[in-house]
Amino acid sequence: MEEQDARVPALEPFRVEQAPPIIYYVPDFISKEEEEYLLRQVFNAPKPKWTQLSGRKLQNWALAPTPQPHEDGPLYYPTVSTISLGSHTVLDFYEPRRLEDDDPTEQPRPTPRPITSLLLEPCSLLVLRGTAYTRLLHGIEATRVDVLEATSLPCNAAACPSALPGARLDRGTRVSLTIRRVPRVLRTGLLLSK
């Protein structure tokens, strides 16, 4: 098994230094022409491939979807990669929930605040490894506009041309191509029949 904190030498120029280890952000990973081609393929998929979720649609070409904020789990360890198409989004990272967060005798906890955020622009590649992948939760806030404050720019702002202080970025339809390595596993039917 790969070491979770092992760096990827070819991606080191794209490592986000101000983020939890290890996050790589590659702007303009694909061309606009490649983006248009991929979007056509996604939107031309047969209707049975689409699943309606709260506020978004999903084409799942592998395993079942997970709620947000969430972790991707050990099945996909040690790396997850995402190509963003169509529109930007802001991906927030959160500390994991603790047992006392669910204690019914405690006062309700305030909504968790992200510990850091990334701006994911169209045509970009995001690669998560290490603590950023294995420990932190991640999610996307439901909003139509992202306002970038000078005091709280995303940690990868230096790599994002649209990440200017005071910018108001209108969200459109974003397509996320998430690539995960799924190790060879036994068929579920075999496990359930025992």
Side-chain angles (χ1 to χ4, degrees):
M1 182 171 275
E2 293 180 56
E3 181 66 34
Q4 78 165 353
D5 290 325
R7 294 188 172 11
V8 180
L11 291 176
E12 277 302 297
F14 302 101
R15 187 157 44 97
V16 181
E17 295 287 342
Q18 302 79 14
I22 299 170
I23 295 175
Y24 298 109
Y25 178 78
V26 183
D28 299 318
F29 178 71
I30 61 172
S31 69
K32 281 292 184 190
E33 294 78 19
E34 291 167 321
E35 177 190 37
E36 290 168 8
Y37 171 80
L38 290 169
L39 285 169
R40 277 193 309 275
Q41 300 308 307
V42 168
F43 291 124
N44 287 333
K47 286 192 178 192
K49 288 304 286 182
W50 289 97
T51 301
Q52 182 67 45
L53 300 176
S54 176
R56 65 186 178 131
K57 291 181 184 176
L58 173 77
Q59 279 185 30
N60 193 359
W61 295 85
L63 300 173
T66 56
Q68 291 178 327
H70 66 276
E71 62 182 8
D72 289 326
L75 181 61
Y76 306 121
Y77 176 87
T79 303
V80 65
S81 304
T82 303
I83 298 173
S84 293
L85 308 173
S87 179
H88 82 281
T89 197
V90 174
L91 181 66
D92 297 318
F93 290 87
Y94 302 85
E95 289 290 341
R97 293 183 57 81
R98 301 173 309 228
L99 289 176
E100 59 267 23
D101 291 340
D102 297 321
D103 186 348
T105 62
E106 292 282 324
Q107 291 290 82
R109 302 263 182 208
T111 303
R113 304 223 3 109
I115 60 167
T116 194
S117 299
L118 294 168
L119 176 61
L120 306 181
E121 294 180 308
C123 301
S124 67
L125 171 70
L126 175 69
V127 179
L128 301 178
R129 294 178 60 85
T131 303
Y133 176 82
T134 59
R135 184 176 166 274
L136 299 179
L137 304 178
H138 56 272
I140 296 173
E141 181 184 350
T143 186
R144 294 184 187 274
V145 178
D146 292 294
V147 179
L148 305 183
E149 302 292 337
T151 57
S152 60
L153 288 174
C155 62
N156 65 328
C160 300
S162 62
L164 302 173
R168 292 180 54 85
L169 305 176
D170 294 323
R171 286 191 193 177
T173 299
R174 174 178 174 261
V175 172
S176 167
L177 300 180
T178 302
I179 303 113
R180 300 175 176 122
R181 177 183 167 268
V182 179
R184 189 172 288 217
V185 294
L186 293 174
R187 289 187 173 192
T188 306
L190 293 175
L191 294 173
L192 295 176
S193 65
K194 294 187 179 200

